[in-house]
């Protein structure tokens, strides 16, 4: 599309188009959006081994496709979405490397963002299906991040006495200027 010159998606744009079409369908109930969402989903279904992120909406799209299929009674599409969701949830629960045998580590950069998102998806899936396994997994990931880990360390800035104080991240760094290179003030 037109944005490809400045929106550098490593994953392509099909998942975003499907994500947008699905949300548009849920908001308007216009069949053209439903059809577009299903077409984009078929074109690029999620592959277990990643998670919903800024660059990949296919995992979130699976949840929306599941809901759309359930609303319309399309058992085949619902089963396909459920199989994709289950494959990804199983990857996170059983196959991904884990820190302290607890929290999933997908990537070395910002790994807890992926664990938190996976937790969010597991909690949604638990709510949709009643899966206690997904509920426990989702709660366990978040509990670990918030400090329920062998180190008693919260990974959320300012959340308790044992938490990051001066992280190297623009949102928590505290510079006044538009730079991450200046010295941060400990607290603002």
């Amino acid at each position: 599309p037109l944005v490809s010159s400045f929106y550098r998606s490593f994953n392509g744009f099909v998942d975003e188009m499907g994500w947008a079409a699905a949300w548009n369908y849920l908001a308007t109930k216009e069949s053209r959006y439903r059809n577009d969402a299903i077409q984009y989903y078929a074109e690029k279904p999620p592959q277990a081994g990643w998670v919903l992120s800024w660059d990949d909406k296919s995992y979130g799209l699976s949840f929306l496709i599941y809901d759309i299929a359930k609303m319309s009674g399309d058992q085949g599409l619902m089963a396909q979405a459920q199989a994709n969701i289950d494959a990804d949830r199983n990857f996170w629960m059983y196959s991904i490397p884990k820190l302290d045998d607890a929290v999933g580590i997908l990537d070395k950069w910002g790994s807890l963002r992926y664990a938190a998102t996976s937790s969010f998806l597991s909690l949604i899936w638990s709510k949709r299906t009643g899966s206690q396994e997904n509920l426990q997994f989702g709660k366990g990931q978040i509990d670990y991040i918030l400090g329920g880990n062998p180190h008693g360390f919260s990974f959320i800035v300012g959340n308790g006495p044992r938490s990051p104080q001066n992280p190297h991240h623009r949102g928590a760094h505290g510079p006044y200027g538009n730079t991450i290179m200046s010295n941060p003030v400990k607290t603002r």
Side-chain angles (χ1 to χ4, degrees):
L2 297 174
V3 299
S4 63
S5 65
F6 60 88
Y7 176 67
R8 303 282 184 199
S9 174
F10 299 100
N11 191 46
F13 63 88
V14 171
D15 53 319
E16 279 91 351
M17 297 296 284
W19 177 252
W23 279 114
N24 281 335
Y25 173 73
L26 291 169
T28 67
K29 304 298 185 269
E30 290 183 31
S31 62
R32 67 186 171 120
Y33 293 127
R34 178 187 186 278
N35 296 340
D36 286 349
I38 292 168
Q39 175 191 331
Y40 287 122
Y41 186 65
E43 190 174 326
K44 190 177 180 307
Q47 303 297 314
W50 201 250
V51 74
L52 177 67
S53 70
W54 69 271
D55 192 39
D56 195 337
K57 304 296 180 281
S58 62
Y59 303 95
L61 180 55
S62 290
F63 285 78
L64 299 180
I65 291 293
Y66 177 86
D67 290 345
I68 290 169
K70 189 173 183 179
M71 289 167 50
S72 66
D74 187 334
Q75 296 298 315
L77 184 59
M78 196 165 82
Q80 177 189 359
Q82 181 169 351
N84 287 332
I85 293 166
D86 285 342
D88 188 60
R89 297 298 82 226
N90 288 337
F91 167 78
W92 272 89
M93 288 189 279
Y94 305 115
S95 299
I96 194 168
K98 292 190 172 70
L99 177 63
D100 294 328
D101 202 31
V103 70
I105 303 296
L106 182 64
D107 190 46
K108 65 182 178 180
W109 294 106
S111 57
L112 292 180
R113 64 181 160 166
Y114 300 121
T117 301
S118 180
S119 173
F120 173 67
L121 295 178
S122 287
L123 293 170
I124 289 172
W125 197 232
S126 172
K127 190 170 185 175
R128 296 247 194 329
T129 64
S131 166
Q132 289 300 304
E133 186 177 35
N134 274 281
L135 176 64
Q136 293 308 312
F137 174 79
K139 287 177 69 176
Q141 297 287 284
I142 293 300
D143 287 347
Y144 187 98
I145 293 167
L146 292 175
N149 56 60
H151 316 286
F153 185 86
S154 171
F155 291 89
I156 306 299
V157 175
N159 184 42
R162 293 189 42 115
S163 65
Q165 299 303 308
N166 295 302
H168 187 72
H169 183 275
R170 184 180 304 255
H173 183 256
Y176 283 117
N178 189 22
T179 177
I180 200 161
M181 301 309 290
S182 64
N183 291 329
V185 174
K186 187 166 181 155
T187 29
R188 293 200 200 233

